[in-house]
Amino acid sequence: MHPELIKAQIRMKGTTPTNVARSLDVTHTCVAHVIAGRGTSERVAKRISEVTGIAVATLWPGKYPNVDQLPTSSHT
């Protein structure tokens, strides 16, 4: 999925990439790199998937083959 669409999906759920970073205690740059596909982090990818309700495999096809397909965490 295009990075701008991922960011839009995060915003449509009432949060921001910066808030995602805060919830994981990582830098906003880390989250931005994962969104853009320039960096990898299963933990960040899973959290974005949870926030958006979109499977990791849909957000980043082929990038995280070992991550569950559906969001399952209870993070808010």
Side-chain angles (χ1 to χ4, degrees), residues 21-50:
R22 286 184 188 134
S23 75
L24 295 171
D25 198 27
V26 298
T27 66
H28 70 279
T29 303
C30 174
V31 172
H33 283 207
V34 170
I35 290 171
R38 289 189 306 265
T40 59
S41 168
E42 287 187 4
R43 189 167 69 107
V44 172
K46 284 181 187 179
R47 183 67 182 123
I48 292 169
S49 175
E50 292 164 2

